[in-house]
Amino acid sequence: MTDFKVDAAVIGGGAAGMSAARALADKGYSTLIVERENQLGGILLQCIHNGFGVHEFKEELTGPEYAERWEEMVVGLDSSIPQVFLDTTVMELHYEGEGAGYTLVCVSPAKGFFHILADSVILTSGCRERNRGNIRIPGTRPAGVYTAGLAQRMVNMEGLLPGKNAVIVGSGDIGLIMARRLMWSGCKVHAVVEIQPYPSGLTRNIVQCLNDFKIPLYLSHVISKIHGKHRIEAVDITPLENGRENPDKTFTIECDTLLLSVGLVPSSELAQEAGAEINPVTGGPVVDGHLMTTVPGLFAAGNVLHVHDLVDFVSAEARRAGDGAARFLAQRRGDGLAPSAAASTGAGAVTGANTAGAARPVAAGSGEVTGAGSGAPPPPATAAMTDNGASLEVRVRPGSNVRYVVPGSIDVYQPIPVMFRPMIVKNSAKLSIYLDGQLIREQKKAHVQPSEMVEIDTSKLDLGKMKLSKDSVLEVVLL
Amino acid sequence: MSTTQQPREMICIACPVGCHLSITTKGTDAQGKVDYEIQGNKCPRGVVYAQEELRSPKRMLTTTVRVAGKAAQRRVPVRSEAAVPVGIIPELLKKLHDIDCTPPISRGQEVLEFEGIKILASHRVE
C-alpha cells in the first residue's frame, strides 16, 4: 500500500475545494485535492443555468463555466500546482493527535486502498439533499419520487428525463430552476407546493422559472398523500390554515413524477469522525475565526460548513479557510513541529515576510491573548502570518431573527466576514451588532429573507480599538 | 388598445426587493410605440425593467446537447451567448435537442447559430 504525505489535504474538488487548494498552494504548501468524481467542479457541473460568478469573475457564468475557469486556475498554473486525485473517495478521516496530523483512508479504482498523511485537512465535501423521509410525506412508496438535485443530474448530465408530468415540492431555487428545466425538456410541471407562506427562492427565479411558464405556486400548502403502486400516479395537496392541514380543501393533481426540493444538509460525517463539534443549527462543524473546527488543523468551508446560496461566497469562504490552514501550518513550523519536505518549495512565497511580521500588534503577555507562541523562536513568517501567530477570538452569537452565524468567533487581529441567515422576510430591515450588550454598529438592509445569506464586514467594526476580554461576545440582531 | 383594460401585474426583478408593478396601457405615442403607465416601483429601475419586459422580453437560454459517440460525458451543457427573445426559445430548443456535437469540444465553442443567435458550449468534453 502506497502512502502519500502532504502539508494539506483538501477533501472535495468542488468550488470550495479548488479555492482552498489554490490559496494553500499559492503560499507554497504541498496541497492535494481528493475528489470522488472523475473531474473537478462538484455540483457546479450539473447547474447548467447562469448566474454564477458575479462577484468572483464580475460576469454571469453558467455553473460548468465557473467550474472550468476555476479548474484552469487550480491546475493550469506553472508554480506550486496542487495535486489532484480524481475518482478517489475518502472513507475515513483520523486525527492522530497534536503534532501528528491526519490520516485519510482512501480508495480509488487506479490506486486501490491507500493512505494520505497530512498536517492539515480542509473539508470541502459539500452537502446533500433532504429527502422524502426528512419531510414525512404519507402514502405509498412508488417509483417517480426524486430529489430535485438528482433529477437535475439525470437531465443535465445523463440526458434522462424523469417523467412527463411533474409536481415539485418546495420553492427553493433548485426546485424552481428544475421547473424551468423540465418545461424546456418536454416534461410539464403542474404545480410547485411550498409549506411556508412565502417562496423560499429568489424573486428572479419565481418570475423566470414559474411565472414565465404559468406554473401555479401553492404557498402554505403541503403534499398530504402520494398515490400509485408501482409508479406515482397523483398527489394530494392540502392547504395549511393557522398552521394545520385543512383536509376539506384537499385537491388532487395527477402526475408521474414528484421532485423534492426541501433543503440541503452538510455532509459533515468526516468532521464528526475526526472528533469535531457540530453546530446543530447548520449541521456543519463549529469553526473559529480562521474557519478551523474544534480539532486542531481541521478546517471547513463551503456547503459542508453551512449551506450557501451563492457559489461566489463559497469560493471566498474557502479562500479564507485555505489562508487559515496556511497560518496553522506556518505556526507549526515556527514551533519546530514536523516540518515537511515541501517547506522548501514555499521559500519563494515567504521572502521578505519578516518585515511584514513586525507591522502587526504583538499582544503576547497581555493575558487576553491565546496562541501567541511566547518563548518560541520567531516563526519563518509567510505572507499569511503577519501577526506572529497572535490571535484574540471573540465569540459571535445569533440574536433576534438570526438563525445562525458562521464562524462562531472571529479573530480581532484578522477579522473575516461573518455570514448569517435571517429568519424573517422584510423590506427595510435594520441590522444591529452588539458587543457585550453595547450597540456598536447599525446598518440598513433594503430587503432580507431566509433564502438570502447576509455577510457582515467585521473589519469595519474596529474591534482592535475596543475593550475586549476573552469572554467578550458579539451579537447579531435583525429587526 | 383601450385605456380601460385591466392593469397588468408584474414583479420587478431588478433587485431582491421585488416591487409589484401595475401596468396600464396609455395608448400609442407619435412613433406608434405603445405607451405604458407603470406604478408600484420604488426606484427608476422598475420602469426600465417593465418597459424592456413589455416591449421585448429576453432570457438567457441554457440546455444540453447530445455528445456524439461513446464519450463518458453524454451531454454537453450549452448557453446562448446573450439573452435571446422569449418567442424564439421553443424553436431554438427544438434545434438544440435535434443536433449532436462531436468531441473534443472546448468551452466557448459555437455549437449552433440560428437567426444570428450563437449557442456556445459551457464546458469542455474530451
Side-chain angles (χ1 to χ4, degrees):
Chain A
M1 186 171 65
T2 322
D3 282 355
F4 298 86
K5 191 167 178 351
V6 288
D7 291 332
V10 177
I11 304 178
M18 290 192 282
S19 170
R22 180 72 269 161
L24 273 156
D26 279 347
K27 297 196 171 66
Y29 294 100
S30 63
T31 307
L32 170 60
I33 300 177
V34 188
E35 166 57 46
R36 69 178 171 195
E37 295 288 329
N38 62 6
Q39 56 182 335
L40 291 175
I43 204 70
L44 285 164
L45 298 174
Q46 69 180 55
C47 299
I48 63 160
H49 52 280
N50 73 313
F52 303 88
V54 178
H55 299 277
E56 286 282 311
F57 296 106
K58 311 293 174 220
E59 59 180 299
E60 276 199 30
L61 304 170
T62 64
E65 287 174 315
Y66 189 93
E68 200 174 302
R69 287 245 200 143
W70 258 104
E71 186 181 358
E72 286 163 1
M73 294 198 291
V74 169
V75 298
L77 297 182
D78 290 338
S79 62
S80 55
I81 299 166
Q83 261 186 293
V84 181
F85 285 179
L86 296 174
D87 278 320
T88 305
T89 304
V90 178
M91 308 292 290
E92 293 172 21
L93 175 64
H94 300 294
Y95 176 53
E96 307 294 355
E98 192 66 47
Y102 292 84
T103 305
L104 287 71
V105 181
C106 304
V107 287
S108 82
K111 298 189 186 70
F113 170 75
F114 64 99
H115 287 164
I116 297 167
L117 310 174
D119 289 335
S120 177
V121 170
I122 304 180
L123 199 57
T124 51
S125 47
C127 59
R128 66 166 67 91
E129 298 184 275
R130 289 182 358 123
N131 56 35
R132 182 178 172 183
N134 294 106
I135 58 164
R136 296 181 290 274
I137 303 176
T140 53
R141 301 191 61 191
V145 181
Y146 300 89
T147 56
L150 173 62
Q152 188 179 47
R153 189 185 163 98
M154 289 168 64
V155 177
N156 291 348
M157 298 186 77
E158 323 278 344
L160 304 169
L161 200 59
K164 287 287 186 187
N165 292 285
V167 168
I168 297 177
V169 187
S171 61
D173 289 314
I174 308 172
L176 298 177
I177 279 162
M178 276 313 291
R180 175 177 61 189
R181 188 73 192 112
L182 290 177
M183 293 297 284
W184 276 351
S185 304
C187 170
K188 188 165 165 48
V189 178
H190 295 272
V192 173
V193 180
E194 168 62 54
I195 189 169
Q196 300 290 343
Y198 51 85
S200 324
L202 300 173
T203 313
R204 181 191 175 84
N205 286 333
I206 300 286
V207 171
Q208 298 199 340
C209 301
L210 298 188
N211 299 0
D212 271 11
F213 301 94
K214 302 188 168 55
I215 300 169
L217 169 62
Y218 295 101
L219 298 172
S220 298
H221 280 67
V222 294
I223 300 283
S224 50
K225 192 171 182 183
I226 290 175
H227 298 275
K229 190 172 178 205
H230 300 293
R231 179 83 192 189
I232 183 167
E233 287 162 8
V235 290
D236 285 353
I237 298 172
T238 305
L240 292 180
E241 288 174 2
N242 302 317
R244 296 171 65 143
E245 290 180 28
N246 181 349
D248 297 340
K249 292 190 182 165
T250 295
F251 58 100
T252 303
I253 294 183
E254 286 185 16
C255 61
D256 59 15
T257 303
L258 183 68
L259 297 195
L260 306 178
S261 174
V262 292
L264 303 163
V265 281
S267 297
S268 55
E269 291 77 8
L270 288 173
Q272 285 183 62
E273 200 172 271
E277 191 186 323
I278 300 295
N279 178 337
V281 181
T282 59
V286 172
V287 290
D288 70 8
H290 297 279
L291 302 183
M292 186 165 82
T293 67
T294 53
V295 186
L298 177 62
F299 294 77
N303 284 343
V304 71
L305 179 54
H306 58 131
V307 175
H308 294 61
D309 27 62
L310 275 186
V311 72
D312 299 80
F313 282 2
V314 168
S315 296
E317 183 178 271
R319 196 150 43 226
R320 299 194 283 272
D323 289 346
R327 182 177 179 275
F328 171 86
L329 290 165
Q331 277 175 352
R332 279 177 48 112
R333 271 176 210 170
D335 292 342
L337 289 171
S340 83
S344 58
T345 64
V350 302
T351 45
N354 275 327
T355 49
R360 274 282 175 178
V362 181
S366 70
E368 296 172 346
V369 174
T370 54
S374 54
T382 68
M385 231 196 75
T386 51
D387 62 343
N388 286 344
S391 66
L392 173 55
E393 293 270 334
V394 174
R395 275 203 303 136
V396 189
R397 172 169 84 193
S400 300
N401 298 322
V402 175
R403 185 166 302 284
Y404 68 78
V405 292
V406 169
S409 63
I410 53 169
D411 182 345
V412 172
Y413 300 122
Q414 292 181 329
I416 64 170
V418 167
M419 317 270 231
F420 76 86
R421 206 167 271 287
M423 290 168 81
I424 49 169
V425 182
K426 194 173 177 184
N427 282 337
S428 56
K430 195 171 69 185
L431 166 65
S432 310
I433 298 167
Y434 293 87
L435 174 64
D436 298 327
Q438 295 276 322
L439 182 67
I440 59 166
R441 193 173 170 84
E442 236 174 14
Q443 208 180 331
K444 283 214 176 83
K445 289 277 160 199
H447 180 79
V448 293
Q449 63 183 62
S451 55
E452 284 186 52
M453 205 153 64
V454 184
E455 194 179 81
I456 305 170
D457 182 354
T458 57
S459 65
K460 291 209 176 112
L461 299 177
D462 275 335
L463 289 170
K465 293 179 188 154
M466 308 243 171
K467 199 169 177 295
L468 299 167
S469 76
K470 63 178 190 299
D471 297 321
S472 286
V473 179
L474 279 175
E475 191 175 18
V476 181
V477 172
L478 195 61
L479 288 172
Chain B
M1 237 184 266
S2 84
T3 47
T4 53
Q5 71 176 91
Q6 281 287 313
R8 191 175 150 183
E9 300 295 323
M10 192 182 275
I11 302 170
C12 177
I13 58 169
C15 83
V17 172
C19 295
H20 286 256
L21 308 179
S22 172
I23 294 126
T24 40
T25 311
K26 285 199 301 193
T28 49
D29 66 10
Q31 286 93 45
K33 249 168 98 178
V34 185
D35 208 7
Y36 298 102
E37 168 143 6
I38 295 151
Q39 288 174 312
N41 55 305
K42 294 196 181 83
C43 80
R45 283 187 293 171
V47 177
V48 176
Y49 169 77
Q51 287 188 339
E52 169 90 11
E53 192 62 17
L54 289 161
R55 297 208 164 102
S56 61
K58 290 196 177 85
R59 298 287 183 269
M60 285 295 296
L61 179 65
T62 58
T63 184
T64 61
V65 168
R66 193 167 48 237
V67 173
K70 296 211 185 304
Q73 198 178 326
R74 299 164 70 175
R75 311 286 299 184
V76 56
V78 299
R79 58 171 286 182
S80 52
E81 190 179 37
V84 302
V86 165
I88 205 170
I89 287 178
E91 211 175 340
L92 263 177
L93 281 170
K94 193 175 176 322
K95 290 237 177 297
L96 286 165
H97 294 162
D98 278 346
I99 58 173
D100 48 22
C101 210
T102 308
I105 305 161
S106 58
R107 187 179 87 235
Q109 183 180 324
E110 188 179 308
V111 299
L112 178 77
E113 183 173 349
F114 178 67
E115 299 196 356
I117 295 164
K118 284 183 178 154
I119 306 291
L120 313 174
S122 276
H123 200 275
R124 69 173 187 279
V125 180
E126 279 150 3

